[in-house]
């Protein structure tokens, strides 16, 4: 199985800050990476698919880049509603696997 | 509006069984692969199983093979997960999720149903 490693596991930031989360795959996954946001007690929400495509309705302050094994999710200007846990997921090969999550906390 | 509503979770003893259901609406259910994804308390996400549009293909994570069975009823717009021989490590919130076109992501999720395996 492909292992997905996210870093950092948590980050403290203030409203307006630029936040970057990284995700590394244990082997190449081309651009088959998705990012999800999860708030406490809620289901995950798809933000980005195919490494850089923004899901409909997701604010443009979210962006992602990368291919192969290294990917980044960037929130350009953190908003109060963005405090949550973020997960990456590879869709290149079976079984689909998720990273361990990055919790974005209020500084 | 796409909606996925899970039900059937609860407390069950180790070795017991439980059947989860997911009622889908707002899209053509029979046109999509569907998955179950779980999340143990305080932990990350783990894909569990998925099923092709017509039910002809089913896949499972190794840890549930032989114990869990995924199925669907397209006439009822419903997805199911039959869970047998449950273990403490199966304790989790179970989410029903739709696989996107091209199967590159899980684009819609239900609210989840909690399964607790404990004596």
């Amino acid at each position: 199985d492909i292992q997905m490693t996210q870093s950092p596991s948590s980050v403290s930031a203030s409203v307006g800050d630029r936040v970057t989360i990284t995700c590394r795959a244990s082997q190449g996954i081309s651009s088959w990476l998705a990012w999800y946001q999860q708030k406490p007690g809620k289901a995950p929400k798809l933000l980005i698919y195919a490494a850089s495509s923004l899901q409909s309705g997701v604010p443009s302050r979210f962006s992602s880049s990368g291919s192969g094994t290294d990917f980044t999710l960037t929130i350009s200007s953190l908003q109060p509603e963005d405090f949550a846990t973020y997960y990456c997921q590879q869709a290149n090969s079976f079984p689909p696997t998720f990273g361990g999550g990055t919790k974005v906390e209020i500084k | 509006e796409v909606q996925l509503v899970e039900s059937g979770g609860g407390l069950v003893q180790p070795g017991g069984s439980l059947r989860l259901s997911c009622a889908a609406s707002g899209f053509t259910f029979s046109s999509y692969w569907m998955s179950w994804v779980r999340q143990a308390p305080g932990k990350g996400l783990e894909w569990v199983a998925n099923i092709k549009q017509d039910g002809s293909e089913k896949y499972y994570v190794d840890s549930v093979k032989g114990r869990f069975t995924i199925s669907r009823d397209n006439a009822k717009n419903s997805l199911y997960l039959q869970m047998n021989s449950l273990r403490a490590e199966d304790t989790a919130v179970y989410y029903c999720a739709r696989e996107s076109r091209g199967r590159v992501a899980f684009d819609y999720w239900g609210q989840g149903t909690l399964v607790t395996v404990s004596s």
Side-chain angles (χ1 to χ4, degrees):
Chain A
D1 297 2
I2 296 177
Q3 306 303 315
M4 306 300 293
T5 303
Q6 288 183 234
S7 61
S9 56
S10 66
V11 57
S12 294
S14 301
V15 172
D17 284 354
R18 182 182 183 90
V19 173
T20 298
I21 298 168
T22 64
C23 178
R24 175 165 288 176
S26 60
Q27 62 192 76
I29 60 170
S30 186
S31 295
W32 302 120
L33 186 93
W35 289 97
Y36 302 86
Q37 176 193 67
Q38 187 179 34
K39 297 181 179 179
K42 300 296 186 181
K45 172 188 173 183
L46 176 64
L47 298 176
I48 288 170
Y49 61 95
S52 60
S53 297
L54 206 62
Q55 174 72 345
S56 176
V58 174
S60 59
R61 62 181 179 273
F62 291 93
S63 64
S64 176
S65 63
S67 66
T69 59
D70 295 315
F71 301 84
T72 61
L73 173 70
T74 299
I75 310 172
S76 60
S77 177
L78 200 63
Q79 298 301 299
E81 60 268 30
D82 301 336
F83 292 96
T85 299
Y86 293 84
Y87 293 93
C88 62
Q89 175 241 326
Q90 66 84 17
N92 183 73
S93 59
F94 179 85
T97 47
F98 293 85
T102 296
K103 187 173 184 179
V104 177
E105 300 175 298
I106 301 173
K107 193 170 188 179
Chain B
E1 177 194 6
V2 172
Q3 282 200 318
L4 298 168
V5 180
E6 302 93 336
S7 60
L11 175 63
V12 60
Q13 293 188 337
S17 298
L18 214 53
R19 188 195 196 207
L20 306 183
S21 299
C22 171
S25 60
F27 66 103
T28 305
F29 180 72
S30 59
S31 295
Y32 289 85
W33 280 78
M34 296 294 296
S35 276
W36 288 98
V37 178
R38 68 184 177 183
Q39 186 170 36
K43 303 297 184 182
L45 300 165
E46 180 185 37
W47 173 84
V48 174
N50 66 357
I51 185 168
K52 193 177 180 179
Q53 291 92 328
D54 62 358
S56 61
E57 294 181 36
K58 305 175 184 182
Y59 301 96
Y60 301 91
V61 68
D62 284 349
S63 59
V64 308
K65 278 181 186 173
R67 300 189 298 123
F68 289 13
T69 302
I70 190 171
S71 62
R72 64 192 296 163
D73 185 336
N74 287 340
K76 294 183 177 180
N77 290 335
S78 293
L79 178 71
Y80 306 101
L81 187 67
Q82 177 67 42
M83 304 186 295
N84 299 331
S85 302
L86 282 161
R87 307 167 179 166
E89 54 265 35
D90 296 318
T91 294
V93 174
Y94 284 74
Y95 295 102
C96 163
R98 189 181 86 168
E99 297 189 21
S100 67
R101 293 289 191 195
R103 302 181 64 205
V104 297
F106 302 104
D107 59 357
Y108 287 93
W109 299 63
Q111 87 287 350
T113 188
L114 176 62
V115 173
T116 303
V117 184
S118 174
S119 55

